[in-house]
Amino acid sequence: MSKVYRVNTVNLLSKREMPMIGFGTYARKAEPGQYRQAVEWAIEIGYRHIDTASSYNNEVEVGEGINNKIKEGLVTRDQLFVTTKLWNDRHAETEVVASLKESLARLNLDYVDLYLVHWPVSTNSKGEDTEIDYMETWRGMEKCVELGLTKGIGVSNFNEDQLIRLYENATIPPDVNQIEINPTFVQHKMVDLCKQMSVIPVAYTPLGLISEARPEFIGKDVIKTDPGLGALAQKYEKTRAQIALRYLIQRGIPVIPKSFTKSRIEENLNIFDFELTTGEMALVESFNIDHRCVPANGFKGLKNYPF
Ligand SMILES: NC(=O)c1ccc[n+]([C@@H]2O[C@H](COP(=O)([O-])OP(=O)(O)OC[C@H]3O[C@@H](n4cnc5c(N)ncnc54)[C@H](OP(=O)(O)O)[C@@H]3O)[C@@H](O)[C@H]2O)c1
């Protein structure tokens, strides 16, 4: 049997532990069965945290992958940490519970571990602004916890002001703010704010410009070719991607890298056997250009556009 990796955990305000590495599942396109296969490989190699969303249109396959591994006896449901997200067109308080129930039906699960408000913006199904206050949405999220449909709730893509307002007015505080963080977009201000509130910042698109998926940023991606970073990777016998993930983990930030490639699914988990020095952390940090891979330009102009 191949190696199974163990992953450190972080404590959430809702008094549960979340594995520091989750398996991201968003893809612009996928072959039939590809999500299911990737989730199965991920669980086999040791991922216990899986990140999906209703908008990814993959909850059925992600749920199949999870349930197949539970049926095989490889894991139990309570060993897994599953996150899904509420889409922008279901922000009305009365819609939130219904939307999570639909996600659970697609996932074929009784509950999720974390339910996130995917974006602070609200729209109708045509993408037009409905200007629903995310505090209204949050009441629906809290109801999901009361009903036992999710163990915890959080947000994604909230800016500092939005997060503070939510935190100050919530009955149940958010466990996490899932946001883009990577070596070229280090987000110190937001990470510091989260830490003050004990809200966990979760890094999406953690590979940033190192990822091969981002050819549109050629010219900005010196981090892919820089010889100093190459030498650092060589020193630890790791890849640049592993150095990027390790940098985030050492800042105390959980990461959710996505891959459909079996070897990379393993590579992205294999980062707990080395430690970057302070100087090496600074080298990784020196590639910061405050550049967002996910600016969500399509939401610009909506009332609660966060960036
Ligand atoms: N909340 C939000 O609004 C939001 C937004 C974006 C993403 N997310 C979540 O965060 C997850 C991760 O973000 P992401 O998918 O945008 O970006 P990412 O995980 O940083 O990068 C994924 C891309 O990098 C490639 N890759 C994976 N491992 C690699 C490695 N070791 N070396 C080189 N390339 C590698 C993958 O290719 P292959 O698949 O071909 O291996 C894939 O194309 C998503 O899947 C999703 O779950 C959330």
Side-chain angles (χ1 to χ4, degrees):
M1 201 181 126
S2 63
K3 181 166 179 168
V4 177
Y5 295 85
R6 292 184 66 85
V7 174
N8 296 353
T9 60
V10 65
N11 294 322
L12 302 176
L13 280 173
S14 57
K15 302 203 176 3
R16 294 166 311 126
E17 289 180 24
M18 181 175 78
M20 291 283 285
I21 303 185
F23 185 65
T25 64
Y26 172 74
R28 275 183 207 168
K29 61 176 199 242
E31 302 299 326
Q34 209 169 8
Y35 295 111
R36 181 188 46 70
Q37 176 66 82
V39 167
E40 290 184 3
W41 282 334
I43 294 174
E44 284 165 17
I45 200 75
Y47 287 80
R48 294 294 176 261
H49 168 181
I50 293 162
D51 182 84
T52 181
S54 55
S55 68
Y56 299 170
N57 289 319
N58 66 10
E59 289 174 309
V60 170
E61 278 199 29
V62 168
E64 281 170 4
I66 291 170
N67 282 302
N68 286 347
K69 291 294 134 186
I70 293 174
K71 270 187 223 127
E72 279 175 30
L74 191 70
V75 285
T76 55
R77 173 65 187 91
D78 64 356
Q79 289 172 330
L80 295 174
F81 189 102
V82 181
T83 301
T84 194
K85 311 186 191 87
L86 174 79
W87 191 241
N88 309 341
D89 59 356
R90 308 296 294 274
H91 273 215
E93 183 175 351
T94 50
E95 283 287 297
V96 180
V97 166
S99 182
L100 178 50
K101 284 184 174 167
E102 290 164 24
S103 282
L104 290 172
R106 286 189 290 266
L107 286 161
N108 194 16
L109 297 175
D110 297 332
Y111 66 92
V112 287
D113 297 274
L114 194 55
Y115 195 41
L116 304 183
V117 179
H118 205 147
W119 289 89
V121 300
S122 73
T123 65
N124 60 20
S125 55
K126 289 189 224 144
E128 295 156 344
D129 206 344
T130 48
E131 300 196 6
I132 295 171
D133 184 348
Y134 49 81
M135 285 314 307
E136 174 186 331
T137 311
W138 195 251
R139 306 291 165 227
M141 298 292 282
E142 290 173 332
K143 186 90 188 153
C144 291
V145 178
E146 286 160 25
L147 293 172
L149 302 171
T150 183
K151 304 268 184 203
I153 47 179
V155 294
S156 178
N157 297 301
F158 274 43
N159 66 30
E160 284 90 354
D161 291 343
Q162 291 166 335
L163 188 63
I164 291 169
R165 178 167 171 257
L166 172 67
Y167 184 82
E168 288 178 347
N169 293 288
T171 304
I172 302 176
D175 274 330
V176 310
N177 187 17
Q178 185 184 115
I179 49 174
E180 178 176 346
I181 320 177
N182 51 55
T184 37
F185 190 54
V186 295
Q187 291 257 42
H188 279 296
K189 195 168 161 228
M190 174 60 91
V191 170
D192 290 347
L193 174 69
C194 285
K195 289 198 171 159
Q196 279 172 32
M197 301 189 292
S198 300
V199 172
I200 303 296
V202 176
Y204 77 63
T205 315
L207 300 172
L209 299 182
I210 285 179
S211 153
E212 288 175 18
R214 311 210 174 268
E216 63 269 40
F217 301 117
I218 286 171
K220 290 187 171 155
D221 54 356
V222 283
I223 189 166
K224 257 189 197 157
T225 51
D226 179 79
L229 191 65
L232 180 57
Q234 225 172 10
K235 170 181 165 187
Y236 291 112
E237 298 183 339
K238 297 287 172 185
T239 63
R240 287 169 194 263
Q242 287 171 310
I243 300 288
L245 297 175
R246 178 73 207 180
Y247 157 81
L248 293 167
I249 293 285
Q250 278 187 220
R251 285 178 60 197
I253 301 169
V255 297
I256 49 170
K258 169 264 174 186
S259 179
F260 279 163
T261 315
K262 196 176 184 188
S263 58
R264 287 173 173 169
I265 293 173
E266 173 169 1
E267 180 183 320
N268 295 341
L269 206 58
N270 183 10
I271 58 168
F272 288 99
D273 59 353
F274 72 110
E275 188 164 348
L276 300 172
T277 65
T278 309
E280 291 165 349
M281 289 289 284
L283 172 70
V284 179
E285 184 92 43
S286 71
F287 296 100
N288 181 41
I289 47 171
D290 289 331
H291 171 84
R292 270 182 206 282
C293 291
V294 186
N297 288 329
F299 299 157
K300 260 188 195 158
L302 298 179
K303 183 169 178 235
N304 287 317
Y305 178 72
F307 308 142

